[in-house]
Amino acid sequence: MIYSKSTIKNISESIGVPKLKDGITTAMAQDVEYRLHEIIAEAMKFMRHSKRTKLTVADINSALRVRNVEPIYGFETGRPIKFHKTATALEEIYYVDDEQIDLDRLIEEPLPNVPLEVVYTAHWLAIEGVQPRIQQNPAPIGEEEPAAKKTAKAPQKQDGVETIPLVKHVLSKELQLYFECITESLVSPDPLVKSTALESISIDAGIHQLVTYFVQYIAMAVKNNLNNLETLRTAMAVAKALRRNPNLFVEPYMHQLIPSLLTCLVSKRLCESYTEDHWSLRDGAAEQIAEICQQFGQSYHTLQARIARTLLRAFLDPTKPLTTHYGAIVGLTKLGLSIVKVLVLPNIKTYMSLLDAEMEKRDNHQLINDGTHCQAALVNALRVVARGNNDVEPLGAAGAQKSKLAEVVGDTLARLVLAESNAGKIAAAVLAASKEVKAQDSQE
């Protein structure tokens, strides 16, 4: 018998039950031994499931919880418990040597620091399926770097400026192969191959890790091919496909995408010859910028205002070429009626006086062509004003129309407006909008 009768008698006496009979102590010792065997057998199950060969206090406590018994407190320790043996007149006793604490020394020790208040902080666990390499996130499995490499990649200070090394973005081989195939297809002379690649970008759901690479591809294509109209068209098509993909979250990349769109809108030259149709590329870039402002305007309240301010500066700068002026006019027009009324309409007459002076140089065919497109863009802006003022009554008497309209938009543009089929409506809407803007300015 493991648990002796004398042990039972000693425990009973320690709790105030003296002189137990031998039959009772024998029965209790047998029952205690049975219960111990049960608990140890249950604890060994936990040990085996934990892939260990050494039984721990945690295994015993888990077995006790399974049996609805309160666990043993005070023995959870990282170091093994050492039992010391002592001999008495009757038997050998094993005990745990408790450390003696000097209370005088403990009282004289300085008090510990006040613990910090409990606070909650948030961090990104994953962005677009990629776990950021920050202190709060665990290191990816299998990517533990040696200590030498970690020391080499530590922040370095040069001239008092601390530089932090960039984190390498790891792509799977499948995504790398996909990106290479798509970029090769985008430069293919076969329009069917190119359209298939663009369709794949616009519908595939598993390419969220490639968004930043496509945005970089667009930026580099625009930067290095400002005279290659076909490459710029492809870059704008990729930007449109990315934004149209419902499975991608492109909002964090708008600050990188908008500069490329603005470049294709107001750049001085986008092709080798002025006879090429770079105007449609500018129109497409303006449409995309307007869609971005409409889609993300609620999240970024200053986005449209900043873009409009950039385009207005390009529109009013007389040193800029007419191609830049055209892009600025189209971009402002696409932003909507309120932008046209507040920013374009009050400046049309001044701009037209400068444009008329430029177009008097009859010997420059490119200048005349660019100026004609700028005039058409301004007429289109006035059409936007007319569509936004459906309740105005069309003006009659062509002579009266022209004189009133010329006061707002200049003689040349007034003549072009009167050549339109709905000239009376456009003139009435422009005059009403001009009066409204002047009234607002006087109130301010």
Coordinates of all heavy atoms in Angstrom, one line a residue, residues 313-398:
R313 N -4.7 76.6 -61.5 CA -3.4 77.2 -61.6 C -2.9 77.0 -63.1 O -2.3 77.9 -63.7 CB -2.4 76.7 -60.6 CG -2.6 77.3 -59.2 CD -1.3 77.2 -58.4 NE -1.0 75.8 -58.2 CZ -1.3 75.1 -57.1 NH1 -2.0 75.7 -56.2 NH2 -1.0 73.8 -57.0
A314 N -3.1 75.7 -63.5 CA -2.7 75.4 -64.9 C -3.5 76.2 -65.9 O -3.0 76.6 -67.0 CB -2.8 73.9 -65.2
F315 N -4.8 76.4 -65.7 CA -5.7 77.1 -66.6 C -5.3 78.6 -66.7 O -5.4 79.2 -67.8 CB -7.1 76.9 -66.1 CG -8.1 77.7 -66.9 CD1 -8.1 77.7 -68.3 CD2 -9.1 78.4 -66.2 CE1 -9.1 78.5 -69.0 CE2 -10.1 79.1 -66.9 CZ -10.1 79.1 -68.3
L316 N -5.0 79.2 -65.6 CA -4.8 80.6 -65.5 C -3.3 81.0 -65.8 O -3.0 82.2 -65.8 CB -5.2 81.2 -64.2 CG -6.7 81.0 -63.9 CD1 -7.1 81.6 -62.5 CD2 -7.6 81.7 -65.0
D317 N -2.4 80.1 -65.9 CA -1.0 80.4 -66.1 C -0.7 80.6 -67.6 O -0.8 79.7 -68.5 CB -0.1 79.2 -65.7 CG 1.4 79.6 -65.6 OD1 1.7 80.6 -66.2 OD2 2.2 78.8 -65.1
P318 N -0.5 81.9 -68.0 CA -0.2 82.2 -69.4 C 1.0 81.6 -70.0 O 1.2 81.5 -71.2 CB -0.2 83.7 -69.5 CG 0.2 84.1 -68.1 CD -0.3 83.1 -67.2
T319 N 1.9 81.2 -69.2 CA 3.2 80.6 -69.6 C 3.0 79.1 -70.0 O 3.9 78.6 -70.7 CB 4.3 80.7 -68.6 OG1 3.9 80.0 -67.4 CG2 4.5 82.2 -68.2
K320 N 1.9 78.5 -69.6 CA 1.7 77.1 -70.0 C 1.3 77.0 -71.4 O 0.6 77.9 -72.0 CB 0.6 76.5 -69.1 CG 1.0 76.5 -67.6 CD 2.1 75.5 -67.3 CE 2.4 75.5 -65.8 NZ 3.5 74.6 -65.5
P321 N 1.5 75.9 -72.1 CA 1.1 75.7 -73.5 C -0.4 75.4 -73.5 O -1.1 75.1 -72.5 CB 1.9 74.4 -73.9 CG 2.2 73.7 -72.7 CD 2.4 74.7 -71.6
L322 N -1.0 75.6 -74.7 CA -2.4 75.4 -74.9 C -2.9 74.0 -74.6 O -4.0 73.8 -74.2 CB -2.8 75.9 -76.3 CG -2.6 77.3 -76.6 CD1 -3.1 77.6 -78.0 CD2 -3.3 78.2 -75.6
T323 N -2.0 73.0 -74.8 CA -2.4 71.6 -74.5 C -2.7 71.5 -73.0 O -3.6 70.8 -72.6 CB -1.3 70.7 -74.9 OG1 0.0 71.2 -74.4 CG2 -1.2 70.6 -76.5
T324 N -1.9 72.2 -72.2 CA -2.1 72.1 -70.7 C -3.4 72.8 -70.4 O -4.1 72.4 -69.5 CB -0.9 72.8 -70.0 OG1 0.3 72.0 -70.3 CG2 -1.1 72.8 -68.5
H325 N -3.6 74.0 -71.0 CA -4.9 74.7 -70.8 C -6.1 73.8 -71.1 O -7.1 73.8 -70.4 CB -4.9 76.0 -71.6 CG -3.9 77.0 -71.2 ND1 -3.6 78.1 -72.0 CD2 -3.1 77.1 -70.1 CE1 -2.7 78.8 -71.3 NE2 -2.4 78.2 -70.2
Y326 N -6.0 73.1 -72.3 CA -7.1 72.2 -72.6 C -7.4 71.2 -71.6 O -8.5 71.0 -71.2 CB -6.8 71.6 -74.0 CG -7.8 70.5 -74.4 CD1 -9.0 70.9 -75.0 CD2 -7.6 69.2 -74.0 CE1 -9.9 69.9 -75.4 CE2 -8.6 68.2 -74.4 CZ -9.7 68.6 -75.1 OH -10.7 67.7 -75.4
G327 N -6.3 70.5 -71.1 CA -6.5 69.5 -70.0 C -7.1 70.1 -68.8 O -7.9 69.5 -68.1
A328 N -6.6 71.3 -68.4 CA -7.2 71.9 -67.2 C -8.6 72.3 -67.4 O -9.5 72.1 -66.4 CB -6.4 73.2 -66.9
I329 N -9.0 72.8 -68.5 CA -10.4 73.1 -68.8 C -11.3 71.9 -68.7 O -12.4 71.8 -68.1 CB -10.6 73.8 -70.1 CG1 -9.9 75.2 -70.1 CG2 -12.1 74.1 -70.5 CD1 -9.7 75.8 -71.5
V330 N -10.9 70.8 -69.4 CA -11.6 69.6 -69.4 C -11.7 69.0 -68.0 O -12.8 68.5 -67.6 CB -11.0 68.6 -70.4 CG1 -11.7 67.2 -70.3 CG2 -11.1 69.1 -71.8
G331 N -10.6 69.0 -67.3 CA -10.6 68.5 -65.9 C -11.6 69.2 -65.0 O -12.4 68.6 -64.3
L332 N -11.6 70.6 -65.1 CA -12.5 71.4 -64.3 C -13.9 71.1 -64.7 O -14.8 71.1 -63.9 CB -12.1 72.8 -64.4 CG -10.8 73.3 -63.8 CD1 -10.5 74.7 -64.2 CD2 -10.9 73.2 -62.2
T333 N -14.2 71.0 -66.0 CA -15.5 70.7 -66.5 C -16.1 69.4 -66.0 O -17.2 69.3 -65.6 CB -15.6 70.7 -68.0 OG1 -15.0 72.0 -68.5 CG2 -17.0 70.6 -68.5
K334 N -15.2 68.4 -66.0 CA -15.7 67.0 -65.5 C -16.0 67.0 -64.0 O -16.7 66.2 -63.5 CB -14.6 66.0 -65.8 CG -14.4 65.8 -67.3 CD -15.6 65.1 -67.9 CE -15.3 64.7 -69.4 NZ -16.4 64.1 -70.0
L335 N -15.4 68.0 -63.3 CA -15.7 68.0 -61.8 C -17.1 68.5 -61.5 O -17.4 68.4 -60.3 CB -14.6 68.9 -61.1 CG -13.2 68.3 -61.1 CD1 -12.2 69.3 -60.4 CD2 -13.1 67.0 -60.4
G336 N -17.8 69.0 -62.4 CA -19.2 69.3 -62.2 C -19.5 70.8 -62.3 O -18.7 71.7 -62.5
L337 N -20.9 71.0 -62.2 CA -21.4 72.3 -62.5 C -20.9 73.4 -61.5 O -20.6 74.5 -61.9 CB -23.0 72.2 -62.3 CG -23.7 73.6 -62.4 CD1 -23.5 74.2 -63.8 CD2 -25.2 73.3 -62.2
S338 N -20.8 73.1 -60.2 CA -20.4 74.1 -59.2 C -19.0 74.6 -59.5 O -18.7 75.8 -59.4 CB -20.5 73.5 -57.8 OG -19.7 72.4 -57.7
I339 N -18.1 73.6 -59.9 CA -16.7 74.0 -60.2 C -16.7 74.9 -61.4 O -15.9 75.9 -61.5 CB -15.8 72.8 -60.4 CG1 -15.8 71.9 -59.1 CG2 -14.4 73.1 -60.9 CD1 -15.1 72.6 -58.0
V340 N -17.4 74.6 -62.4 CA -17.5 75.4 -63.7 C -18.0 76.8 -63.3 O -17.4 77.8 -63.8 CB -18.3 74.7 -64.7 CG1 -18.5 75.6 -66.0 CG2 -17.7 73.4 -65.2
K341 N -19.0 76.9 -62.6 CA -19.6 78.2 -62.2 C -18.7 79.1 -61.4 O -18.6 80.3 -61.6 CB -20.9 78.0 -61.5 CG -22.1 77.5 -62.4 CD -23.3 77.1 -61.6 CE -23.9 78.2 -60.8 NZ -25.1 77.8 -60.1
V342 N -18.0 78.5 -60.5 CA -17.2 79.3 -59.5 C -15.8 79.5 -60.1 O -15.2 80.6 -59.9 CB -17.1 78.5 -58.2 CG1 -16.2 79.3 -57.2 CG2 -18.5 78.4 -57.6
L343 N -15.2 78.6 -60.8 CA -13.8 78.7 -61.2 C -13.6 79.0 -62.7 O -12.6 79.7 -63.0 CB -13.0 77.4 -60.8 CG -13.0 77.0 -59.3 CD1 -12.2 75.8 -59.1 CD2 -12.4 78.1 -58.5
V344 N -14.4 78.4 -63.5 CA -14.2 78.6 -65.0 C -14.9 79.8 -65.5 O -14.3 80.7 -66.2 CB -14.6 77.3 -65.7 CG1 -14.4 77.5 -67.2 CG2 -13.9 76.1 -65.3
L345 N -16.1 80.0 -65.2 CA -17.0 81.0 -65.8 C -16.4 82.4 -65.5 O -16.3 83.3 -66.4 CB -18.4 80.9 -65.3 CG -19.4 81.7 -66.0 CD1 -19.4 81.4 -67.5 CD2 -20.8 81.5 -65.4
P346 N -16.0 82.8 -64.3 CA -15.5 84.1 -64.0 C -14.2 84.4 -64.8 O -13.8 85.6 -64.9 CB -15.3 84.1 -62.5 CG -16.1 83.0 -62.0 CD -16.1 82.0 -63.0
N347 N -13.5 83.4 -65.2 CA -12.1 83.7 -65.8 C -12.1 83.4 -67.4 O -11.1 83.6 -68.0 CB -11.1 82.7 -65.2 CG -10.9 82.9 -63.7 OD1 -10.5 84.0 -63.3 ND2 -11.3 81.9 -62.9
I348 N -13.3 83.1 -67.9 CA -13.4 82.8 -69.4 C -13.0 84.1 -70.2 O -12.2 84.0 -71.2 CB -14.7 82.3 -69.8 CG1 -14.9 80.8 -69.3 CG2 -14.9 82.3 -71.3 CD1 -16.2 80.2 -69.7
K349 N -13.5 85.2 -69.9 CA -13.3 86.4 -70.7 C -11.8 86.8 -70.7 O -11.3 87.1 -71.8 CB -14.2 87.5 -70.2 CG -14.1 88.8 -71.1 CD -15.1 89.8 -70.7 CE -15.1 91.0 -71.6 NZ -16.0 92.1 -71.2
T350 N -11.2 86.8 -69.6 CA -9.8 87.1 -69.5 C -9.0 86.1 -70.3 O -8.0 86.4 -71.0 CB -9.3 87.1 -68.1 OG1 -10.1 88.0 -67.3 CG2 -7.8 87.5 -68.0
Y351 N -9.3 84.8 -70.2 CA -8.6 83.8 -70.9 C -8.8 83.9 -72.4 O -7.8 83.7 -73.1 CB -9.0 82.4 -70.4 CG -8.4 81.3 -71.1 CD1 -7.0 80.9 -70.9 CD2 -9.0 80.6 -72.2 CE1 -6.4 79.9 -71.6 CE2 -8.4 79.5 -72.9 CZ -7.1 79.2 -72.6 OH -6.5 78.2 -73.3
M352 N -10.0 84.2 -72.8 CA -10.2 84.3 -74.2 C -9.5 85.4 -74.9 O -9.1 85.3 -76.0 CB -11.7 84.4 -74.5 CG -12.5 83.1 -74.3 SD -12.0 81.8 -75.4 CE -12.1 82.5 -77.0
S353 N -9.2 86.5 -74.1 CA -8.5 87.6 -74.7 C -7.0 87.2 -75.0 O -6.4 87.5 -76.0 CB -8.5 88.8 -73.8 OG -7.9 88.4 -72.5
L354 N -6.5 86.3 -74.1 CA -5.1 85.8 -74.3 C -5.1 84.8 -75.4 O -4.2 84.7 -76.2 CB -4.6 85.2 -73.0 CG -4.4 86.1 -71.8 CD1 -4.1 85.3 -70.6 CD2 -3.4 87.2 -72.1
L355 N -6.2 83.9 -75.5 CA -6.2 82.9 -76.5 C -6.4 83.5 -77.9 O -5.8 83.1 -78.9 CB -7.4 82.0 -76.2 CG -7.5 80.8 -77.2 CD1 -6.3 79.9 -77.2 CD2 -8.8 79.9 -76.8
D356 N -7.2 84.6 -78.0 CA -7.4 85.3 -79.3 C -6.0 85.8 -79.8 O -5.7 85.8 -81.0 CB -8.4 86.4 -79.2 CG -9.8 85.8 -79.0 OD1 -10.0 84.6 -79.3 OD2 -10.7 86.5 -78.5
A357 N -5.3 86.4 -78.9 CA -4.0 87.0 -79.2 C -3.0 85.9 -79.7 O -2.3 86.1 -80.7 CB -3.4 87.7 -78.0
E358 N -3.1 84.7 -79.1 CA -2.2 83.6 -79.6 C -2.6 83.1 -80.9 O -1.8 82.8 -81.8 CB -2.3 82.5 -78.5 CG -1.5 82.7 -77.2 CD 0.0 82.8 -77.4 OE1 0.5 82.0 -78.3 OE2 0.6 83.6 -76.8
M359 N -3.9 83.0 -81.2 CA -4.4 82.4 -82.4 C -4.3 83.3 -83.6 O -4.6 82.9 -84.7 CB -5.9 81.9 -82.2 CG -6.0 80.8 -81.3 SD -7.7 80.1 -81.2 CE -7.8 79.4 -82.9
E360 N -4.0 84.6 -83.4 CA -3.7 85.5 -84.5 C -2.4 85.2 -85.2 O -2.2 85.7 -86.3 CB -3.7 86.9 -83.9 CG -5.0 87.5 -83.5 CD -4.9 88.9 -83.0 OE1 -3.8 89.4 -82.9 OE2 -6.0 89.5 -82.6
K361 N -1.6 84.3 -84.6 CA -0.4 83.9 -85.3 C -0.8 82.8 -86.3 O -0.7 81.6 -86.1 CB 0.6 83.4 -84.3 CG 1.0 84.4 -83.2 CD 1.8 83.8 -82.1 CE 2.1 84.8 -81.0 NZ 2.9 84.1 -79.9
R362 N -1.2 83.2 -87.5 CA -1.8 82.3 -88.5 C -0.7 81.3 -89.0 O -1.1 80.3 -89.6 CB -2.4 83.1 -89.6 CG -3.5 84.0 -89.2 CD -4.7 83.3 -88.9 NE -5.8 84.1 -88.6 CZ -7.1 83.7 -88.2 NH1 -7.3 82.4 -88.3 NH2 -8.0 84.6 -87.9
D363 N 0.6 81.6 -88.9 CA 1.6 80.8 -89.6 C 1.8 79.5 -88.8 O 2.5 78.6 -89.2 CB 2.9 81.6 -89.7 CG 3.3 82.2 -88.4 OD1 2.5 82.4 -87.5 OD2 4.5 82.5 -88.3
N364 N 1.4 79.4 -87.5 CA 1.6 78.3 -86.7 C 0.4 77.4 -86.7 O -0.6 77.6 -86.0 CB 2.0 78.7 -85.2 CG 2.6 77.6 -84.4 OD1 2.2 76.4 -84.6 ND2 3.4 78.0 -83.5
H365 N 0.4 76.3 -87.5 CA -0.7 75.4 -87.6 C -1.0 74.7 -86.3 O -2.2 74.4 -85.9 CB -0.5 74.4 -88.7 CG -0.4 75.1 -90.0 ND1 -1.5 75.7 -90.7 CD2 0.7 75.3 -90.9 CE1 -1.1 76.2 -91.8 NE2 0.2 76.0 -92.0
Q366 N 0.1 74.3 -85.6 CA -0.1 73.6 -84.3 C -0.8 74.5 -83.3 O -1.7 74.0 -82.5 CB 1.2 73.1 -83.7 CG 1.1 72.4 -82.4 CD 2.4 71.9 -81.9 OE1 3.4 72.0 -82.5 NE2 2.4 71.4 -80.6
L367 N -0.4 75.7 -83.2 CA -1.0 76.7 -82.3 C -2.5 76.9 -82.6 O -3.4 76.9 -81.7 CB -0.3 78.0 -82.3 CG -0.5 79.0 -81.1 CD1 -0.1 78.3 -79.8 CD2 0.2 80.3 -81.4
I368 N -2.9 77.0 -83.9 CA -4.3 77.2 -84.3 C -5.1 75.9 -83.9 O -6.2 76.0 -83.4 CB -4.4 77.5 -85.7 CG1 -3.7 78.8 -86.1 CG2 -5.8 77.5 -86.2 CD1 -3.6 79.1 -87.5
N369 N -4.5 74.7 -84.1 CA -5.2 73.5 -83.8 C -5.4 73.4 -82.3 O -6.5 73.0 -81.8 CB -4.4 72.3 -84.3 CG -5.0 71.0 -84.0 OD1 -6.2 70.7 -84.4 ND2 -4.3 70.1 -83.3
D370 N -4.4 73.7 -81.5 CA -4.6 73.6 -80.0 C -5.6 74.6 -79.5 O -6.4 74.3 -78.7 CB -3.2 73.8 -79.4 CG -2.2 72.7 -79.7 OD1 -2.6 71.7 -80.2 OD2 -1.0 72.9 -79.4
G371 N -5.5 75.8 -80.1 CA -6.5 76.9 -79.7 C -7.9 76.5 -80.0 O -8.8 76.8 -79.2
T372 N -8.1 75.9 -81.2 CA -9.5 75.4 -81.5 C -10.0 74.4 -80.5 O -11.2 74.5 -80.2 CB -9.5 74.8 -83.0 OG1 -8.9 75.8 -83.9 CG2 -10.9 74.4 -83.4
H373 N -9.2 73.5 -80.1 CA -9.6 72.5 -79.1 C -9.9 73.2 -77.8 O -10.9 72.8 -77.1 CB -8.6 71.4 -78.9 CG -8.6 70.4 -80.0 ND1 -7.9 70.5 -81.2 CD2 -9.3 69.2 -80.0 CE1 -8.1 69.4 -81.9 NE2 -8.9 68.6 -81.2
C374 N -9.1 74.2 -77.4 CA -9.4 74.9 -76.2 C -10.8 75.7 -76.2 O -11.6 75.7 -75.3 CB -8.3 75.9 -75.9 SG -6.8 75.2 -75.4
Q375 N -11.1 76.3 -77.4 CA -12.4 76.9 -77.6 C -13.5 75.9 -77.5 O -14.5 76.2 -76.8 CB -12.4 77.6 -78.9 CG -11.5 78.8 -79.0 CD -11.5 79.4 -80.4 OE1 -12.0 78.8 -81.4 NE2 -10.8 80.6 -80.6
A376 N -13.3 74.7 -78.1 CA -14.4 73.7 -78.0 C -14.6 73.2 -76.6 O -15.7 72.9 -76.1 CB -14.0 72.5 -78.9
A377 N -13.5 73.1 -75.8 CA -13.6 72.7 -74.4 C -14.3 73.7 -73.6 O -15.2 73.4 -72.7 CB -12.2 72.5 -73.8
L378 N -14.1 75.0 -73.9 CA -14.9 76.1 -73.1 C -16.3 76.1 -73.5 O -17.2 76.3 -72.7 CB -14.2 77.4 -73.4 CG -12.8 77.7 -72.8 CD1 -12.2 79.0 -73.3 CD2 -13.0 77.7 -71.3
V379 N -16.6 75.8 -74.8 CA -18.0 75.7 -75.2 C -18.7 74.6 -74.5 O -19.9 74.7 -74.0 CB -18.2 75.6 -76.7 CG1 -19.6 75.3 -77.1 CG2 -17.7 76.8 -77.4
N380 N -18.0 73.5 -74.4 CA -18.5 72.3 -73.6 C -18.8 72.6 -72.2 O -19.8 72.2 -71.6 CB -17.6 71.1 -73.8 CG -18.2 69.8 -73.2 OD1 -19.3 69.5 -73.6 ND2 -17.5 69.2 -72.4
A381 N -17.9 73.4 -71.6 CA -18.1 73.9 -70.2 C -19.4 74.7 -70.1 O -20.1 74.5 -69.1 CB -16.9 74.6 -69.7
L382 N -19.6 75.5 -71.0 CA -20.9 76.3 -71.0 C -22.1 75.4 -71.2 O -23.2 75.7 -70.7 CB -20.8 77.4 -72.1 CG -19.7 78.4 -71.9 CD1 -19.8 79.5 -73.0 CD2 -19.7 79.1 -70.6
R383 N -21.9 74.4 -72.0 CA -23.1 73.4 -72.1 C -23.4 72.8 -70.8 O -24.6 72.5 -70.4 CB -22.7 72.3 -73.1 CG -22.6 72.8 -74.6 CD -22.6 71.6 -75.5 NE -22.2 71.9 -76.8 CZ -21.0 71.6 -77.3 NH1 -20.1 71.0 -76.6 NH2 -20.7 72.0 -78.6
V384 N -22.4 72.5 -70.0 CA -22.6 72.0 -68.6 C -23.4 72.9 -67.8 O -24.3 72.5 -67.0 CB -21.2 71.6 -67.9 CG1 -21.4 71.3 -66.5 CG2 -20.5 70.5 -68.7
V385 N -23.1 74.2 -67.9 CA -23.8 75.2 -67.2 C -25.3 75.2 -67.6 O -26.2 75.3 -66.8 CB -23.2 76.6 -67.4 CG1 -24.1 77.7 -66.7 CG2 -21.8 76.7 -66.8
A386 N -25.5 75.1 -68.9 CA -26.9 75.1 -69.5 C -27.7 73.8 -69.0 O -28.8 73.9 -68.6 CB -26.9 75.1 -71.0
R387 N -27.0 72.7 -68.9 CA -27.7 71.5 -68.5 C -28.0 71.5 -67.0 O -29.0 70.9 -66.5 CB -26.8 70.2 -68.7 CG -26.7 69.8 -70.2 CD -26.2 68.4 -70.3 NE -24.8 68.3 -69.9 CZ -23.8 68.5 -70.8 NH1 -24.0 68.7 -72.1 NH2 -22.5 68.4 -70.4
G388 N -27.2 72.3 -66.2 CA -27.5 72.5 -64.8 C -28.5 73.5 -64.5 O -28.9 73.7 -63.3
N389 N -29.0 74.3 -65.5 CA -30.0 75.4 -65.3 C -31.2 75.1 -66.3 O -31.3 75.9 -67.2 CB -29.4 76.7 -65.5 CG -28.4 77.1 -64.4 OD1 -28.7 77.6 -63.3 ND2 -27.1 76.8 -64.6
N390 N -31.9 74.1 -66.0 CA -33.0 73.8 -66.9 C -34.2 74.7 -66.8 O -35.1 74.7 -67.6 CB -33.5 72.4 -66.7 CG -32.4 71.3 -67.1 OD1 -31.7 71.5 -68.1 ND2 -32.3 70.3 -66.3
D391 N -34.3 75.5 -65.7 CA -35.5 76.3 -65.4 C -35.4 77.7 -66.0 O -36.3 78.5 -65.9 CB -35.7 76.4 -63.9 CG -34.5 76.9 -63.2 OD1 -33.4 76.9 -63.8 OD2 -34.6 77.3 -62.0
V392 N -34.3 78.0 -66.7 CA -34.1 79.4 -67.3 C -34.9 79.4 -68.7 O -34.9 78.4 -69.4 CB -32.7 79.8 -67.5 CG1 -32.0 79.9 -66.1 CG2 -31.9 78.8 -68.4
E393 N -35.3 80.6 -69.0 CA -36.0 80.8 -70.3 C -35.0 81.2 -71.3 O -34.1 82.0 -71.1 CB -37.0 81.9 -70.2 CG -38.2 81.6 -69.3 CD -39.1 80.5 -69.9 OE1 -39.1 80.4 -71.2 OE2 -39.8 79.7 -69.2
P394 N -35.0 80.5 -72.5 CA -34.0 80.8 -73.6 C -34.2 82.3 -74.0 O -35.3 82.8 -74.1 CB -34.4 79.8 -74.7 CG -35.1 78.7 -74.0 CD -35.9 79.4 -72.9
L395 N -33.0 82.9 -74.3 CA -33.0 84.3 -74.8 C -33.4 84.3 -76.3 O -33.1 83.4 -77.1 CB -31.7 84.9 -74.6 CG -31.2 85.1 -73.1 CD1 -29.9 85.8 -73.1 CD2 -32.2 86.0 -72.4
G396 N -34.0 85.4 -76.7 CA -34.3 85.6 -78.2 C -33.4 86.7 -78.7 O -32.4 87.2 -78.1
A397 N -33.6 87.1 -80.0 CA -32.9 88.2 -80.6 C -31.4 87.9 -80.6 O -30.7 88.2 -79.6 CB -33.2 89.5 -80.1
A398 N -30.8 87.4 -81.6 CA -29.4 87.0 -81.7 C -28.5 88.1 -81.3 O -27.5 87.9 -80.7 CB -29.1 86.4 -83.0

